[in-house]
């Protein structure tokens, strides 16, 4: 090999030239392109007659139904009722789950009082407890708030306890060595260490809130997305049924994005979340 061929790369290295970087795949773009392609395939299959309209209407038909219901004001009214129930029930259940989780995580006494009872109630299906809820609260809003709160309590409670119990013991020992009081140790080490698990519980609770609301709104609700689905089932309105399913999916996606935003905000310091960058 000639000295000229060897000297070429050497001069580039001396000049500070860097080799071209490999382009990263646009993962975020791909995550949105795939659902769009699925919707397009669904539309084409319906237009080609491969899927009957009374079995599964085309996305364009569902969009037309959504536009019509929005113009009449029916869809915004039902959507607002469901959002209000989910928000109130989630606020009650998540707050209660956080408080009980903190008490159980820090105290063996509270664990012996609280944990066994919560595990028993958690094992009861919603459909099994629904008749009793109707006896307690009737067909009013209180019963729906209760079911949503019950569904959101468990994931927040379990993940709060798990997060507190999984804090690194070495970190606690270091806090004691530097002279932190128990309150300062909780504020500076335990709660920040448990925060990733708590926020995971919030994400799961947001999903459970809508699952519980589906059940709550199918029994005696005068309005709401679940009421729309029940009413559409009676009249075989498959376009409205699919619209309700799409609404649940969009709301679930939106709430998950909100939860991810909270993770970015509160876990920007964590090396395992977004590289510790704000």
């Amino acid at each position: 090999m000639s000295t000229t061929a060897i000297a070429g790369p050497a001069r580039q290295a001396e000049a500070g030239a860097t080799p071209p970087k490999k382009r990263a795949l646009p993962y975020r773009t791909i995550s949105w392109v795939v659902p769009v392609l699925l919707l397009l395939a669904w539309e084409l299959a319906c237009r080609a007659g491969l899927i009957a309209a009374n079995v599964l209407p085309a996305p364009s038909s569902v969009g037309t139904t959504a536009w019509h219901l929005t113009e009449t004001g029916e869809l915004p009214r039902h959507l607002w009722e469901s959002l209000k129930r989910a928000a109130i029930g989630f606020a009650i259940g998540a707050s209660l789950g956080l408080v009980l989780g903190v008490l159980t995580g820090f105290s063996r006494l509270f664990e012996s009082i609280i944990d066994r009872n919560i595990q028993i109630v958690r094992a009861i299906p919603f459909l099994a407890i629904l008749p009793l809820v109707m006896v307690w609260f009737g067909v009013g809003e209180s019963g729906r708030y209760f079911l949503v709160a019950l569904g959101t309590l468990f994931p927040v409670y379990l993940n709060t306890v798990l997060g507190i119990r999984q804090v690194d013991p070495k970190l606690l020992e270091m806090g004691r060595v530097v002279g932190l009081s128990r309150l300062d140790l909780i504020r500076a080490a335990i709660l920040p260490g448990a925060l990733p698990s708590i926020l995971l519980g919030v994400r799961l609770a947001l999903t459970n809130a809508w699952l519980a609301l589906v059940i709550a709104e199918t029994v005696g609700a005068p309005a709401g997305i679940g009421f729309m689905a029940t009413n559409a089932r009676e009249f075989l309105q498959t376009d409205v049924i699919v619209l309700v399913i799409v609404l649940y999916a969009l709301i679930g996606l939106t709430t998950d994005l909100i939860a991810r935003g909270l993770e970015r905000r509160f876990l920007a310091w964590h090396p395992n979340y977004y590289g510790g960058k704000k």
Side-chain angles (χ1 to χ4, degrees), residues 234-248:
E234 298 294 331
F235 294 97
L236 299 178
Q237 297 173 319
T238 53
D239 53 345
V240 178
I241 295 174
V242 174
L243 173 61
V244 170
I245 295 173
V246 171
L247 286 175
Y248 278 127

Side-chain angles (χ1 to χ4, degrees), residues 33-109:
V33 168
V34 172
V36 172
L37 292 177
L38 291 175
L39 285 176
L40 182 60
W42 176 9
E43 178 74 27
L44 293 176
C46 291
R47 290 182 180 273
L50 300 177
I51 303 177
N54 61 342
V55 175
L56 186 64
S60 57
S61 176
V62 176
T64 302
T65 301
W67 179 258
H68 173 69
L69 293 176
T70 302
E71 284 185 327
T72 61
E74 185 177 354
L75 182 58
R77 179 173 65 89
H78 291 300
L79 186 58
W80 165 249
E81 289 295 328
S82 292
L83 289 173
K84 181 179 68 174
R85 290 169 185 147
I88 294 175
F90 173 81
I92 296 172
S95 300
L96 188 58
L98 181 63
V99 171
L100 294 178
V102 169
L103 292 175
T104 302
F106 283 114
S107 172
R108 294 291 181 182
L109 174 61

Side-chain angles (χ1 to χ4, degrees), residues 145-261:
Y145 296 151
F146 174 81
L147 285 174
V148 175
L150 192 65
T152 57
L153 182 149
F154 302 130
V156 175
Y157 167 81
L158 292 173
N159 282 276
T160 300
V161 175
L162 180 64
I164 292 173
R165 297 282 172 83
Q166 285 187 338
V167 174
D168 191 349
K170 295 180 181 178
L171 185 63
L172 302 181
E173 185 63 28
M174 184 180 67
R176 296 188 185 98
V177 168
V178 299
L180 293 179
S181 65
R182 181 174 176 80
L183 183 60
D184 290 336
L185 191 62
I186 291 173
R187 186 177 63 250
I190 298 178
L191 290 183
L195 194 57
S197 183
I198 294 174
L199 290 177
L200 174 60
V202 170
R203 290 181 65 182
L204 296 175
L206 287 169
T207 302
N208 280 14
W210 289 103
L211 294 177
L213 190 63
V214 170
I215 298 173
E217 287 187 338
T218 54
V219 181
I225 302 177
F227 169 80
M228 287 180 60
T230 303
N231 195 49
R233 181 191 63 192
E234 298 294 331
F235 294 97
L236 299 178
Q237 297 173 319
T238 53
D239 53 345
V240 178
I241 295 174
V242 174
L243 173 61
V244 170
I245 295 173
V246 171
L247 286 175
Y248 278 127
L250 292 177
I251 292 171
L253 177 62
T254 302
T255 53
D256 189 68
L257 290 175
I258 293 173
R260 286 177 177 269

